[in-house]
Amino acid sequence: MKMLDKEERELELFFSELKSKDQGISTPTLPAFKAKSYKIWRWIPAGIAAALVAAIWIGTSDKKDETLAKDVIIISLIEDENQKQQLIIETTSSMDIWESPTASLLELN
């Protein structure tokens, strides 16, 4: 126990010396901090007004008729058994079957 008391006293003496040294150090003066006043309340009505303008603009925009044309033109390139190619142009009101332009690459001869 005496050993602990001696160590504790040494620690207390050490830290008290550090505190007394620190007392002599002067702290620099800093300029006074002036809090910026944020005008957040000024932006809330502007945000609401902008949201209303955007909603009205989107709601009243002209809706374009995006229907397909009544007549669809189908252009086909067909090769017969004599390896003669024919270009066939058809018009119809609807397209029942669609084939990709590269579908012929998948066909094996």
Side-chain angles (χ1 to χ4, degrees):
M1 287 276 203
K2 289 184 180 182
M3 197 66 149
L4 287 177
D5 291 336
K6 184 179 179 182
E7 288 178 3
E8 285 179 18
R9 283 188 208 137
E10 287 178 6
L11 284 174
E12 284 181 21
L13 180 64
F14 174 74
F15 284 112
S16 65
E17 288 175 2
L18 285 178
K19 283 182 184 179
S20 64
K21 287 181 183 177
D22 286 346
Q23 294 289 332
I25 299 174
S26 63
T27 57
T29 57
L30 297 174
F33 176 72
K34 184 178 178 183
K36 293 180 182 178
S37 63
Y38 292 102
K39 308 280 186 199
I40 189 79
W41 296 107
R42 196 176 287 179
W43 288 102
I44 290 176
I48 292 171
L52 286 174
V53 167
I56 291 170
W57 181 60
I58 290 172
T60 60
S61 65
D62 294 334
K63 303 218 184 301
K64 294 182 180 178
D65 188 19
E66 296 184 13
T67 58
L68 291 176
K70 293 183 179 181
D71 292 326
V72 178
I73 299 173
I74 302 173
I75 302 172
S76 303
L77 182 63
I78 298 176
E79 184 176 330
D80 60 5
E81 57 273 348
N82 296 331
Q83 295 185 351
K84 185 178 177 187
Q85 295 181 343
Q86 294 179 345
L87 188 65
I88 300 174
I89 300 174
E90 302 174 46
T91 58
T92 182
S93 60
S94 66
M95 184 182 262
D96 295 332
I97 298 173
W98 179 83
E99 186 176 338
S100 70
T102 58
S104 62
L105 298 175
L106 297 174
E107 294 177 8
L108 298 175
N109 290 331

